[in-house]
Amino acid sequence: MMDSKDVVDGIWEYFGFPQGSLKNKALKHAEKLRRYYVETLKEFEALGHEDLEASYGLFLSSYFLDDAFDSTDSPYALAIGLHLYTGFVCYIQKEHPEKMEVLKEYFRIQMIYQSAEKDRDNEKGYDLSYINELDNYHLKQIILLFPLELSEPSIRDDLYELYIHYFDCILLTDDMIDAEEDMATGTMTAITSGCRTEEDISESRKKCRKKFIEHKDLTMSLMSTIGIHSKTLISVLDDMDRCTSDICKRV
């Protein structure tokens, strides 16, 4: 597979977009996505090489579409996200046509929850229980679970629940890091929901830190139960554990 820099450089060359902060953010996120998702899927041997390569485009498209909601570079992010997602849809239509309706449903759910996240006053009446319960937090990035649909049923059944808890850890960590920025922009997350002051944010982070630990423990327990091992996944969880612990100590 091409490395993250090759992928991002290729995107920028294709569109001819200007160099700048969006590309720098994209490269950083592309590297994180490769480590957090691609490397663990590779270690589990859950997907074939071609499926994994195509799925990396899906992972990146999810990042850009999310960024398009509130980024000052939103026209660029939207164009890139749609380009990458369309490429993945074409791949599924050709290689796994029986999975097209499943992909559409994943995408529909993700867009509902991402839209809800940006609607602080919830004027559209979205179901926001996933934010407060913290047990279905992965729904706002559920499309990242779709590649498991391309794996063998025995592997998919084993990994699906594990990845749900793993994604919950990742998303909670990201939102703990970005809490002040999210509150300033009116983005509703597990951290910012109901918060008005820095003290509110501090208390919310502590609550989410406890939920992070629960999801981390469940992830590790499921790995042990299934009898699989991923050095990358364990390393990522440990990094996030240290990060969330440090954040709570600082506030």
Side-chain angles (χ1 to χ4, degrees):
M1 296 178 70
M2 294 187 294
D3 65 23
S4 303
K5 186 176 185 302
D6 289 337
V7 172
V8 173
D9 283 345
I11 292 171
W12 253 254
E13 182 179 353
Y14 174 81
F15 281 101
F17 284 157
Q19 306 291 312
S21 61
L22 179 63
K23 183 176 181 181
N24 295 334
K25 288 192 300 180
L27 179 58
K28 181 179 180 180
H29 205 84
E31 292 171 345
K32 183 171 74 171
L33 284 167
R34 185 173 291 281
R35 181 183 178 217
Y36 284 18
Y37 305 140
V38 176
E39 293 302 323
T40 56
L41 284 167
K42 186 187 298 182
E43 287 180 351
F44 294 146
E45 298 181 349
L47 298 176
H49 174 75
E50 292 182 359
D51 288 341
L52 194 57
E53 186 79 46
S55 295
Y56 186 44
L58 175 68
F59 299 151
L60 277 174
S61 76
S62 180
Y63 158 67
F64 282 111
L65 290 173
D66 181 55
D67 197 48
F69 273 100
D70 55 4
S71 170
T72 55
D73 296 310
S74 58
Y76 302 122
L78 180 61
I80 296 170
L82 291 175
H83 169 70
L84 290 169
Y85 181 70
T86 300
F88 186 74
V89 169
C90 291
Y91 174 79
I92 296 300
Q93 284 179 324
K94 179 181 178 181
E95 301 295 335
H96 304 279
E98 75 284 358
K99 297 294 185 180
M100 274 303 302
E101 291 304 315
V102 180
L103 175 60
K104 291 178 183 178
E105 181 63 10
Y106 273 70
F107 186 74
R108 184 189 70 81
I109 294 172
Q110 173 145 334
M111 288 300 101
I112 286 174
Y113 283 101
Q114 285 192 347
S115 298
E117 187 180 63
K118 310 303 179 182
D119 183 15
R120 186 169 182 83
D121 296 324
N122 197 25
E123 294 176 352
K124 298 179 178 65
Y126 290 113
D127 176 8
L128 300 179
S129 59
Y130 80 102
I131 289 178
N132 296 318
E133 294 175 1
L134 298 182
D135 288 322
N136 297 306
Y137 210 52
H138 61 279
L139 289 174
K140 68 176 184 174
Q141 290 288 337
I142 194 173
I143 204 167
L144 300 183
L145 288 168
F146 175 80
L148 292 179
E149 298 287 342
L150 309 180
S151 61
E152 293 295 323
S154 59
I155 298 176
R156 179 171 67 245
D157 293 345
D158 284 343
L159 291 183
Y160 197 84
E161 186 178 358
L162 185 154
Y163 261 82
I164 284 176
H165 293 298
Y166 178 50
F167 288 175
D168 282 337
C169 285
I170 294 172
L171 294 169
L172 283 168
T173 300
D174 282 347
D175 286 343
M176 288 177 73
I177 294 171
D178 297 335
E180 284 81 8
E181 179 181 348
D182 286 337
M183 188 166 72
T185 59
T187 298
M188 186 178 295
T189 70
I191 316 299
T192 63
S193 178
C195 292
R196 293 292 182 271
T197 66
E198 291 185 5
E199 289 76 13
D200 292 339
I201 290 290
S202 178
E203 289 303 311
S204 185
R205 276 193 171 116
K206 293 175 183 177
K207 178 184 71 174
C208 289
R209 163 70 179 168
K210 292 179 181 178
K211 183 57 66 173
F212 167 87
I213 294 297
E214 290 181 23
H215 285 300
K216 178 189 176 184
D217 289 345
L218 285 167
T219 304
M220 299 299 292
S221 177
L222 284 165
M223 284 182 64
S224 176
T225 299
I226 297 169
I228 57 178
H229 187 74
S230 169
K231 291 181 179 179
T232 303
L233 187 149
I234 294 171
S235 175
V236 169
L237 286 174
D238 287 343
D239 287 348
M240 291 188 293
D241 196 345
R242 286 190 291 270
C243 177
T244 55
S245 176
D246 289 343
I247 290 173
C248 287
K249 289 176 181 177
R250 291 201 303 267
V251 295

